[in-house]
Amino acid sequence: MGIVAGLDSSPDFTRIVVCDTDTGAVLRQGYAPHPVDAPDGAARPSDVDPQAWLLSLGEAAGGGLLEGVQAIGVSAQQNALIPLDAQGNTVRPAIVGGDRRAQVAAADLVDALGGREAWAQAVGCVPQAAQPVTKLRWLAKAEQENARRTAGLLQAHDWLVWQLLGRPVRRTTDRGGASGTGYWSAATGGYRPDLVELALGHQAMLPEVIGPADAAGTTPEGLLISAGTGETMAAAFGLGLGFGDAVVSLGASGSVMAVHPEALADTSGMITSLADATGMHLPVVTTLNAVRTLRGTAELLGLPDLESLSDLAMKSTPGSHGLVMLPYLEGERTPNLPHTAGTLAGLRRESMKAEHLARAAFEGMLCGLADALDVLRGRGVEVRRIFLLGKAAELPAVQAAAPMLFGAQVVVPQPADYAAIGAARQAAWALGVSQGTLDPRTPPVWQGAAAQVLEPGDELAVGQAVRQQFVSVREQTHPGAFRA
């Protein structure tokens, strides 16, 4: 009965989709890169003026894209910390991404609270370099004057919502965004101001956490702005995840997440207990090595791209003739082996062929992600269906091996802007609640993502044998790696 928009401000660009409120059908789209220059040798900068996000937002929304839109939702990159002074101005550029400068600060914070278990119990995660709480600690140590001037804290989606509303006195965020800060607990639904003080050295004003279907406000022009959320939560919402669904994301590193009814405190630090965009929870397990394993193997074999590696792997058979790759090339987080290296086991004369090494790389990557899935399953998270995301999900070798190794139905959605679609769905929810046509406890039902569905079928037993082969090598090489 109307149209809404979803805006996704990623680390590199702004993408906007305009959707039908009833079906979720994408009617119009806009795109613009952020006007940001990375320093020499860096993929992207660690410090960004947030105004760059507004400039690309304006460009993406050009040409009357938002004409007739009744509500807009905002998704944005996670972990971007924006320190504000007492007047609401930025103290310094936003600190974005997985900031290596903060690695020492993360270790300091873990020790300062009494160890990993203390953090897991407090906020459901152990500080990592990317998290805002860790960046606050870095700020307090490295830029003491900026830390002293910091009076308020926002993340990227909080700041964009605040700007769109004209910088009102009230500043808001949502459960999803707050759960990644390291100073808000998904289990209790409350902030831990003492952890802000532990990191920064003093208290700071924090945005109000509003409900998933709440509106952050309305612009002077009458455009309703929903709560907004982080990219991970928006993508999960855009995909329409529910109980029994998990997402395996294939980037250079990998991640596994699933919808769960409660927060999971994990003393090993392998599970990050986030909140989702619907009022539920979204436990996440990360691996450091996913597609980088494939790229490294392709380079080793002199292949030009991952498609060639996939074609070669398809000439081998499940189990790679006994060749097993533990893909811990950059160390590993799941299991927690930060200083280890990769392992290639099972070398015999008959297995020393390029196609078997190619297959072992795919199986090693997927078995590492299956280990991450098992971390969630071991904590009672139900996994019946797995959404496989990332460009590598389209490779035939991935699609052939994933269902049998994961032991579940695998869904490969067509590429789409799922974070922006999730933001638009949130806007439709807030709009419907404001008009009295939707229940604040039940989001609008939109059409599901177009997808390819892959079943393990008769190869399930073969997959279990390959997994066991991988686990045996892992246990021989790193005994007890998954025991807390």
Side-chain angles (χ1 to χ4, degrees), residues 133-229:
V133 70
T134 308
K135 291 170 179 174
L136 283 179
R137 180 74 160 197
W138 174 84
L139 191 68
K141 298 288 188 182
E143 298 181 1
Q144 294 180 12
E145 177 56 24
N146 284 337
R148 188 190 62 78
R149 292 176 53 218
T150 297
L153 303 172
L154 293 177
Q155 293 189 87
H157 83 81
D158 310 335
W159 189 84
L160 285 166
V161 166
W162 189 51
Q163 298 294 320
L164 289 171
L165 291 172
R167 296 167 51 112
V169 173
R170 181 193 190 213
R171 300 171 190 164
T172 63
T173 189
D174 86 307
R175 296 170 66 256
S179 66
T181 60
Y183 44 80
W184 185 87
S185 167
T188 66
Y191 280 117
R192 287 290 301 266
D194 58 314
L195 299 182
V196 174
E197 187 165 353
L198 180 69
L200 184 61
H202 61 85
Q203 295 289 342
M205 183 180 293
L206 303 172
E208 176 189 346
V209 181
I210 61 176
D214 291 344
T218 305
T219 67
E221 298 78 26
L223 185 66
L224 183 140
I225 312 290
S226 63
T229 195

Side-chain angles (χ1 to χ4, degrees), residues 396-410:
V398 169
Q399 295 190 4
M404 70 168 85
L405 295 177
F406 292 158
Q409 183 187 84
V410 170

Side-chain angles (χ1 to χ4, degrees), residues 163-458:
Q163 298 294 320
L164 289 171
L165 291 172
R167 296 167 51 112
V169 173
R170 181 193 190 213
R171 300 171 190 164
T172 63
T173 189
D174 86 307
R175 296 170 66 256
S179 66
T181 60
Y183 44 80
W184 185 87
S185 167
T188 66
Y191 280 117
R192 287 290 301 266
D194 58 314
L195 299 182
V196 174
E197 187 165 353
L198 180 69
L200 184 61
H202 61 85
Q203 295 289 342
M205 183 180 293
L206 303 172
E208 176 189 346
V209 181
I210 61 176
D214 291 344
T218 305
T219 67
E221 298 78 26
L223 185 66
L224 183 140
I225 312 290
S226 63
T229 195
E231 272 189 317
T232 297
M233 301 80 187
F237 197 40
L239 282 165
L241 295 195
F243 291 128
D245 291 336
V247 170
V248 173
S249 183
L250 300 176
S253 56
S255 67
V256 176
M257 63 181 179
V259 178
H260 197 58
E262 59 187 12
L264 298 177
D266 176 53
T267 57
S268 72
M270 286 190 287
I271 298 175
T272 298
S273 192
L274 301 177
D276 78 347
T278 72
M280 297 300 172
H281 296 270
L282 202 64
V284 179
V285 180
T286 302
T287 68
L288 296 183
N289 300 279
V291 175
R292 63 163 47 96
T293 304
L294 305 182
R295 295 202 183 283
T297 306
E299 290 171 11
L300 180 66
L301 293 173
L303 299 174
D305 50 41
L306 298 186
E307 288 75 16
S308 301
L309 184 71
S310 175
D311 291 343
L312 185 62
M314 294 297 284
K315 296 177 180 177
S316 181
T317 54
S320 309
H321 276 242
L323 209 55
V324 175
M325 180 184 291
L326 301 184
Y328 307 151
L329 309 183
E330 303 279 333
E332 189 47 81
R333 182 173 166 185
T334 307
N336 186 28
L337 299 167
H339 306 299
T340 194
T343 301
L344 189 62
L347 279 171
R348 297 182 179 86
R349 180 64 189 88
E350 64 269 19
S351 66
M352 295 178 72
K353 293 183 178 180
E355 60 263 32
H356 302 324
L357 178 57
R359 177 90 188 194
F362 281 96
E363 290 180 346
M365 175 189 75
L366 292 169
C367 283
L369 289 160
D371 279 349
L373 271 167
D374 284 349
V375 170
L376 293 179
R377 285 171 165 147
R379 293 298 306 277
V381 177
E382 187 176 357
V383 178
R384 295 192 305 270
R385 182 172 65 159
I386 296 168
F387 286 79
L388 198 57
L389 302 185
K391 190 167 177 54
E394 300 170 23
L395 296 172
V398 169
Q399 295 190 4
M404 70 168 85
L405 295 177
F406 292 158
Q409 183 187 84
V410 170
V411 179
V412 184
Q414 288 184 1
D417 304 312
Y418 291 110
I421 291 168
R425 189 178 176 207
Q426 187 192 65
W429 195 6
L431 179 66
V433 169
S434 74
Q435 294 173 338
T437 58
L438 288 177
D439 188 320
R441 296 164 297 183
T442 308
V445 177
W446 279 9
Q447 59 195 17
Q452 186 177 3
V453 178
L454 310 168
E455 300 282 357
D458 296 338

Side-chain angles (χ1 to χ4, degrees), residues 62-86:
L65 183 76
L66 299 180
E67 186 175 339
V69 166
Q70 297 165 279
I72 190 166
V74 177
S75 156
Q77 61 178 301
Q78 288 157 238
N79 299 323
L81 178 69
I82 305 158
L84 304 177
D85 64 17

